[in-house]
Amino acid sequence: MALLELTHVHKRFGGLHAVNDVSFAVQPGQIKAVIGPNGAGKTTLFNCIAGTFPPSEGSVHFNGQPIEGLEPHRIASRGLSRTFQNIKLYPGLTALENVMIGRHCRSRAGFWAGMLRLPSTFREEREIRERSLEYLELLGIADLADSEATSLAFGQQRAVEFARALAAEPTLLLLDEPAAGLNIYETAEVARLITTIRDRGITVLLVEHDMSLVMDISDEIVVLSFGQKIAEDTPHNIQQNTEVIRIYLGEDDAAD
Amino acid sequence: MARYLPLALLAIVVIVVQQIAQWSDATYYLTQLTMTAYYSLVIVGLCLLMGYAGQISLGHAGFFAIGGYLSAMLTTHDLMPYQGNALFKALGSLGLLVHQQDLFGASVLHVTPWAACIAAVLTAALIAFCLGIPVLKLKGHYLAMATLGFGIIIFRVALATPLFGEADGISEVPGFTLLPGLTVSGDFAARTSNYYIAWGMVLLTMLLLSQLIHSRIGRALRAIHGSEEAARAMGVDTARYKLQTFVLSAVLAAVAGVFLTHFNGGLGPSEAGIMKSVRYVAIVAIGGMANLWGALIMGVVLNFLSLRGFFGTYDDAVFGAILIVIMLFAPHGLLHRGILRELKNLFRKNGHGPA
Amino acid sequence: MAPELFVQYLMAGVTYGFIYAIVAIGFNIIYNTTGIINFAQGEFVMLGGMLAISLNGLVPLPVAIALAVAITMLIGALLEITFIRWLDRPSVLRMIIITIGLSILIREVALHVWGESVRALPYFSGNEITTIAVLGARVSPQILWVIGACSLMVGTLSLFFRYTLLGQEMRACAANRMAATLCGINPRNMVTFSFMLSAGIGALAGCVMSPITSTEYSIGTGLAIKGFTVAILGGLGNSMAAVAAGLLLGIIEAFSVSVLPLAFQDAIAITILLIILFVRPHGLFGRKDAAGLKEF
Ligand SMILES: Nc1ncnc2c1ncn2[C@@H]1O[C@H](COP(=O)(O)OP(=O)(O)OP(=O)(O)O)[C@@H](O)[C@H]1O
Ligand SMILES: [Mg+2]
């Protein structure tokens, strides 16, 4: 059974048809990429999946259950975690605290427990802290744990966001342009990281403009253009696809 | 453990102040300090709501008034005429009613302060809950106006309802015996014990709230403030936490209202006025929004000065002016580490003329 | 209900409705250029009335009113220049608190200058017992002054925003601040103008209503809440709809007097405000997705 399944998903903003009848499935253990020119609707598609807003039409199934129209926090607690294209860390919180928020849906202490600081709360809090530190270590930024997250360098902020998303122990991770703004070393590091977490059993759906990264690591690629899916195939076949090449060459001409 | 240091300090200051007042024969200060303590409860509750959950409320005097008025009404309104009523018989047999003699020796029947207090606080919580569900969906100006509107309605109701004494308010509110020998009242003899009751409550509240803001929920609240979208994406049920914080801060305001009313022996509609709500907001802003201790300190200083009549007829004007000055020059409040740098930047920027 | 009584209530409702609409338009003008709600809007109405009353002893009534409006506009401009102009992209919360602070300060200054007493301008034509017949009911001619002056203001404003260069510049600024700046419009000046303009119309409304409603230092908050209710009812930023919404609120309030105690009259507006905020925050007449667009 597919882990994530989109069927005829549409999203309209007023007159703009940002996502137009997109269907595809993500199998467990896959790394799947969504590519397409700027404004193709990739982020909008992610937002429809993660519940930032509901799709205008169509359905999204996660683990066989419909999730379209659910609140984002409910979707998150079912095991879907994400990063943002334009990094969204919490200002005023340290890097560690940012990652600790990632463990929110894996912990339980409520208002009373927090106020009274019961022994169970104390233990849970320690567990949250330790696990969060582990994820910072995995990302190689454990030494930055106590720095204010939004004051870090760009690449480090991306790493914190990555760690935050992982701390939720998702079954499906949505990454929106994880390598944007990173240098080639950092990009290689991201590629390595994505395959590592896939090997740990986390399914990955990512949006990325860096073609070599996408071609290297993904098992399958979906191509969007003007909101529509125009191709879905293995990296090898996508590279041969004339329609895809036309779009990308066309875009390159316009961009350069 | 550094978290508990300020609490210990506060406890010491509270004791030292009382001792000094005792020695120097200035125990009359304790009365204002007691009132200040109760207002501080409203302020730290509002600080949690505004600073940590990021939701403004211009109606917190309304919750204070709900607590104060209900408790005053229940403990002073004569229930003798309803004595035959089955409901009141049941209440009586539960020990929730007391017989007393009024000034003229006639026998009157009231609700006991404990029962009244619980009823008042529960009512405030319920109203906050029902109001919070729709109101907290709003943002910015809309939220400000909606809570302001709520505050005005409470004020109008207090002013127009005979049961609440209309413009005169309610007086002759009896003392509230918490434990045998420990009564919240304005009795001269109970001045010192009341001072400790009030500050004990502040200490307890500060303990609970400072543990809360360092807990999983507190972290989530700060995350909501920073980026609501990202908080939701990480599984934080923002609507629910905002609502719970709203109810919690309303409960604190109502508790403060109940206790202060018993301490003062009454209250009037001005306690429900918009200026009171604005004043609470002002103090939280000056304290630095997300800064419980800052709010507490500013609350104590300003309320104490205000209660001592330091600002004279300019009381409201002073609060208005403070609000503007702080928001213009130090929007992160006075009591935080970056304040000097912030002010310096401000003057440097102005030195170059408007950008 | 007797027909005369009905007409009387209706006229009272329309009168108040126009005043609320003017306050709402004042909100809208500032909201459109700055995106902030000026909580001190009601204070402009109070200032207009109070200044005209004080000046009326010294100069003839029309001059007193003109001066009062001019002074209030000046105050509006000064407030903007001193407290708002130089802030660099302030947060909404900060602006709310600053304008609340301003409204408190203005009110307190008014209290110290004019005291707590209730004052009123003389009736513009005739006196308090003069009445004229409208649809079979006897109403004060001042009501016609209010309705006339307010409709005139609404008309002039819409012509101003449509056909004068300054009005068009203000609209451009409201629609897209960045683009307007690129066209050589100084958005800061537009903000100052918008404060002057809404102070001016508020003050004029404060003058014409004063003979009927009286003026005291504390009327601002109530008017601000009602004006805001009307602005929201009509859809924030939409001034033509504000007139319709104002009349609606005024008439509802006027007729409510026959069923509810007077003390709860304010509560009606607020209840409407709360309901509308909960169910249709984009207003009765606005469309949901159009709520984001702020055209005058
Ligand atoms: N919340 C929104 N409201 C209105 N329009 C939106 C919204 N979000 C996105 N759009 C529009 O939808 C279209 C698709 O945007 P989207 O951000 O999904 O593109 P993208 O494929 O992620 O592009 P990029 O590669 O630049 O990130 C764009 O035209 C955008 O302007
Ligand atoms: Mg995108």
Side-chain angles (χ1 to χ4, degrees):
Chain A
M1 186 186 61
L3 180 64
L4 180 77
E5 185 154 12
L6 309 185
T7 25
H8 303 297
V9 171
H10 292 260
K11 181 70 197 180
R12 296 186 192 85
F13 295 114
L16 178 76
H17 211 148
V19 175
N20 188 351
D21 197 29
V22 171
S23 308
F24 64 85
V26 182
Q27 303 303 328
Q30 258 191 335
I31 295 178
K32 189 150 189 163
V34 178
I35 63 171
N38 290 113
K42 305 176 296 290
T43 300
T44 308
L45 189 68
F46 268 26
N47 286 338
C48 288
I49 299 171
T52 313
F53 37 64
S56 313
E57 264 175 62
S59 66
V60 182
H61 281 74
F62 181 52
N63 271 326
Q65 311 236 316
I67 56 165
E68 73 275 0
L70 285 187
E71 299 248 23
H73 66 266
R74 300 217 179 282
I75 298 178
S77 52
R78 289 178 180 210
L80 189 150
S81 189
R82 73 178 296 192
T83 64
F84 295 89
Q85 179 174 355
N86 43 351
I87 302 174
K88 290 191 170 144
L89 293 175
Y90 314 113
L93 272 65
T94 63
L96 179 63
E97 283 174 319
N98 266 274
V99 179
M100 287 166 83
I101 296 285
R103 292 209 59 78
H104 192 85
C105 49
R106 295 280 162 262
S107 45
R108 306 197 2 250
F111 254 82
W112 287 111
M115 274 196 278
L116 301 175
R117 208 169 170 74
L118 309 168
S120 62
T121 322
F122 192 77
R123 277 197 302 277
E124 186 185 81
E125 187 71 11
R126 199 173 51 200
E127 200 246 16
I128 293 176
R129 181 174 295 269
E130 282 164 6
R131 298 301 298 272
S132 303
L133 264 172
E134 282 170 27
Y135 285 105
L136 281 177
E137 261 157 37
L138 180 68
L139 271 291
I141 47 169
D143 51 325
L144 301 174
D146 293 326
S147 332
E148 201 207 310
T150 46
S151 69
L152 296 175
F154 185 77
Q156 296 167 334
Q157 294 200 22
R158 276 230 178 292
V160 174
E161 217 189 31
F162 213 125
R164 181 177 73 187
L166 285 175
E169 292 176 12
T171 45
L172 176 65
L173 182 60
L174 306 185
L175 299 172
D176 198 348
E177 306 202 11
L182 302 187
N183 62 35
I184 47 171
Y185 305 108
E186 290 168 330
T187 305
E189 187 60 22
V190 166
R192 196 187 55 76
L193 196 67
I194 293 175
T195 44
T196 312
I197 60 176
R198 190 262 318 267
D199 296 341
R200 289 186 173 196
I202 298 174
T203 310
V204 177
L205 179 65
L206 82 155
V207 165
E208 186 49 67
H209 282 299
D210 185 323
M211 280 309 138
S212 59
L213 172 75
V214 170
M215 296 302 162
D216 278 354
I217 63 171
S218 21
D219 301 310
E220 272 186 321
I221 297 177
V222 171
V223 186
L224 289 188
S225 175
F226 291 109
Q228 280 174 308
K229 182 177 97 172
I230 56 162
E232 178 179 7
D233 218 324
T234 60
H236 179 77
N237 291 345
I238 288 289
Q239 278 168 311
Q240 316 292 318
N241 187 315
T242 49
E243 175 77 1
V244 176
I245 293 170
R246 196 184 56 74
I247 287 173
Y248 268 87
L249 285 182
E251 200 218 2
D252 274 2
D253 285 349
D256 292 345
Chain B
M1 285 310 104
R3 191 176 313 155
Y4 300 104
L5 199 66
L7 285 166
L9 269 178
L10 175 61
I12 293 170
V13 169
V14 165
I15 295 169
V16 167
V17 166
Q18 187 266 328
Q19 293 295 330
I20 293 176
Q22 193 91 53
W23 270 10
S24 53
D25 235 7
T27 48
Y28 49 88
Y29 279 115
L30 295 186
T31 304
Q32 279 112 23
L33 284 172
T34 307
M35 294 168 72
T36 302
Y38 290 130
Y39 284 124
S40 301
L41 287 183
V42 188
I43 287 159
V44 292
L46 187 62
C47 177
L48 188 72
L49 181 67
M50 278 179 56
Y52 291 89
Q55 310 298 306
I56 192 174
S57 166
L58 286 169
H60 254 52
F63 292 115
F64 181 95
I66 290 174
Y69 266 107
L70 280 184
S71 162
M73 189 271 286
L74 290 172
T75 51
T76 55
H77 191 67
D78 183 14
L79 298 176
M80 223 49 179
Y82 313 102
Q83 212 180 11
N85 186 313
L87 175 69
F88 286 89
K89 279 210 177 106
L91 288 181
S93 61
L94 285 172
L96 299 182
L97 301 180
V98 279
H99 279 279
Q100 273 169 347
Q101 305 275 300
D102 72 4
L103 283 176
F104 311 103
S107 171
V108 291
L109 187 65
H110 302 308
V111 177
T112 62
W114 261 114
C117 169
I118 291 169
V121 173
L122 283 182
T123 310
L126 189 70
I127 291 176
F129 183 79
C130 298
L131 182 74
I133 290 174
V135 158
L136 295 174
K137 291 205 182 100
L138 305 171
K139 290 202 165 57
H141 305 302
Y142 295 90
L143 179 64
M145 277 291 181
T147 49
L148 182 66
F150 161 76
I152 295 181
I153 289 189
I154 299 292
F155 177 65
R156 290 284 166 201
V157 169
L159 206 56
T161 313
L163 201 56
F164 295 138
E166 297 176 329
D168 299 329
I170 302 180
S171 53
E172 314 272 329
V173 177
F176 176 4
T177 306
L178 296 171
L179 297 168
L182 205 56
T183 300
V184 179
S185 75
D187 272 357
F188 186 76
R191 200 177 247 172
T192 306
S193 67
N194 265 283
Y195 170 83
Y196 279 112
I197 293 174
W199 281 98
M201 300 213 4
V202 173
L203 269 167
L204 180 66
T205 308
M206 288 306 282
L207 172 70
L208 295 180
L209 293 191
S210 54
Q211 297 199 358
L212 179 67
I213 58 175
H214 288 99
S215 73
R216 168 176 179 264
I217 302 289
R219 207 163 40 235
L221 287 177
R222 287 184 289 151
I224 295 176
H225 202 13
S227 165
E228 181 152 354
E229 190 188 347
R232 285 155 65 88
M234 286 298 119
V236 177
D237 187 346
T238 52
R240 178 168 163 190
Y241 293 157
K242 282 184 198 170
L243 184 60
Q244 287 179 333
T245 313
F246 190 63
V247 173
L248 177 62
S249 73
V251 163
L252 279 172
V255 168
V258 171
F259 276 69
L260 189 56
T261 301
H262 286 288
F263 178 69
N264 283 343
L267 85 168
S270 72
E271 287 298 345
I274 316 163
M275 267 316 294
K276 283 280 180 182
S277 295
V278 170
R279 181 177 289 215
Y280 299 140
V281 170
I283 292 173
V284 172
I286 301 162
M289 296 291 184
N291 185 344
L292 278 180
W293 287 101
L296 180 67
I297 293 170
M298 290 327 285
V300 171
V301 172
L302 289 174
N303 271 320
F304 183 71
L305 291 179
S306 164
L307 287 169
R308 295 238 18 109
F310 192 78
F311 307 129
T313 53
Y314 294 96
D315 209 39
D316 287 343
V318 167
F319 276 89
I322 291 178
L323 257 189
I324 297 179
V325 170
I326 295 294
M327 278 297 119
L328 287 181
F329 300 109
H332 301 292
L334 277 186
L335 300 176
H336 74 119
R337 274 170 248 127
I339 182 73
L340 283 178
R341 182 160 31 95
E342 205 165 72
L343 286 177
K344 232 183 269 165
N345 282 345
L346 193 80
F347 286 115
R348 194 168 312 134
K349 200 167 69 192
N350 284 359
H352 290 306
Chain C
M1 190 182 285
E4 289 117 74
L5 200 59
F6 181 83
V7 174
Q8 239 155 21
Y9 278 140
L10 192 68
M11 292 303 282
V14 171
T15 310
Y16 279 91
F18 264 113
I19 290 165
Y20 300 157
I22 293 295
V23 180
I25 293 175
F27 275 123
N28 284 340
I29 292 174
I30 294 182
Y31 178 79
N32 278 341
T33 48
T34 60
I36 64 179
I37 291 291
N38 170 27
F39 278 71
Q41 193 63 38
E43 265 57 47
F44 291 145
V45 181
M46 179 271 292
L47 275 181
M50 281 301 199
L51 286 168
I53 293 165
S54 294
L55 290 167
N56 187 34
L58 313 171
V59 289
L61 183 61
V63 183
I65 293 177
L67 275 178
V69 171
I71 297 174
T72 313
M73 286 173 84
L74 196 66
I75 294 176
L78 282 179
L79 289 180
E80 196 278 335
I81 292 171
T82 345
F83 296 107
I84 294 165
R85 193 184 181 89
W86 53 277
L87 293 179
D88 184 26
R89 271 175 298 153
S91 70
V92 170
L93 185 62
R94 200 167 159 201
M95 284 321 304
I96 291 175
I97 296 182
I98 289 177
T99 56
I100 287 178
L102 288 180
S103 88
I104 295 170
L105 276 193
I106 299 175
R107 191 161 59 231
E108 290 298 306
V109 169
L111 175 63
H112 280 90
V113 173
W114 287 294
E116 288 189 17
S117 60
V118 180
R119 299 147 187 253
L121 276 179
Y123 281 72
F124 290 9
S125 37
N127 55 36
E128 54 267 47
I129 50 169
T130 317
T131 57
I132 50 168
V134 175
L135 300 172
R138 306 219 55 95
V139 296
S140 161
Q142 189 67 30
I143 283 186
L144 299 185
W145 275 105
V146 175
I147 297 176
C150 293
S151 341
L152 198 67
M153 272 192 271
V154 173
T156 318
L157 275 178
S158 76
L159 292 179
F160 168 78
F161 278 108
R162 205 150 300 159
Y163 296 114
T164 66
L165 186 61
L166 184 57
Q168 286 171 347
E169 285 181 351
M170 288 177 74
R171 275 171 60 205
C173 216
N176 187 336
R177 199 181 170 114
M178 190 61 158
T181 316
L182 292 176
C183 297
I185 300 170
N186 182 345
R188 289 175 198 263
N189 289 343
M190 295 304 127
V191 174
T192 314
F193 279 131
S194 67
F195 268 81
M196 283 177 76
L197 203 55
S198 49
I201 60 172
L204 187 54
C207 295
V208 290
M209 69 187 262
S210 176
I212 310 180
T213 63
S214 307
T215 312
E216 58 183 311
Y217 81 100
S218 61
I219 58 170
T221 317
L223 282 171
I225 278 277
K226 290 181 186 171
F228 185 77
T229 307
V230 167
I232 296 290
L233 264 175
L236 204 53
N238 182 344
S239 291
M240 283 305 142
V243 176
L247 295 181
L248 186 65
L249 177 66
I251 291 170
I252 292 177
E253 268 191 5
F255 280 96
S256 76
V257 173
S258 55
V259 284
L260 268 180
L262 196 59
F264 288 109
Q265 209 190 23
D266 280 353
I268 292 180
I270 296 165
T271 313
I272 293 179
L273 172 66
L274 291 178
I275 293 173
I276 200 82
L277 281 178
F278 301 155
V279 295
R280 274 186 82 87
H282 45 285
L284 279 188
F285 309 108
R287 272 188 311 124
K288 200 169 193 166
D289 41 348
L293 304 170
K294 345 170 255 180
E295 259 288 320
F296 181 79

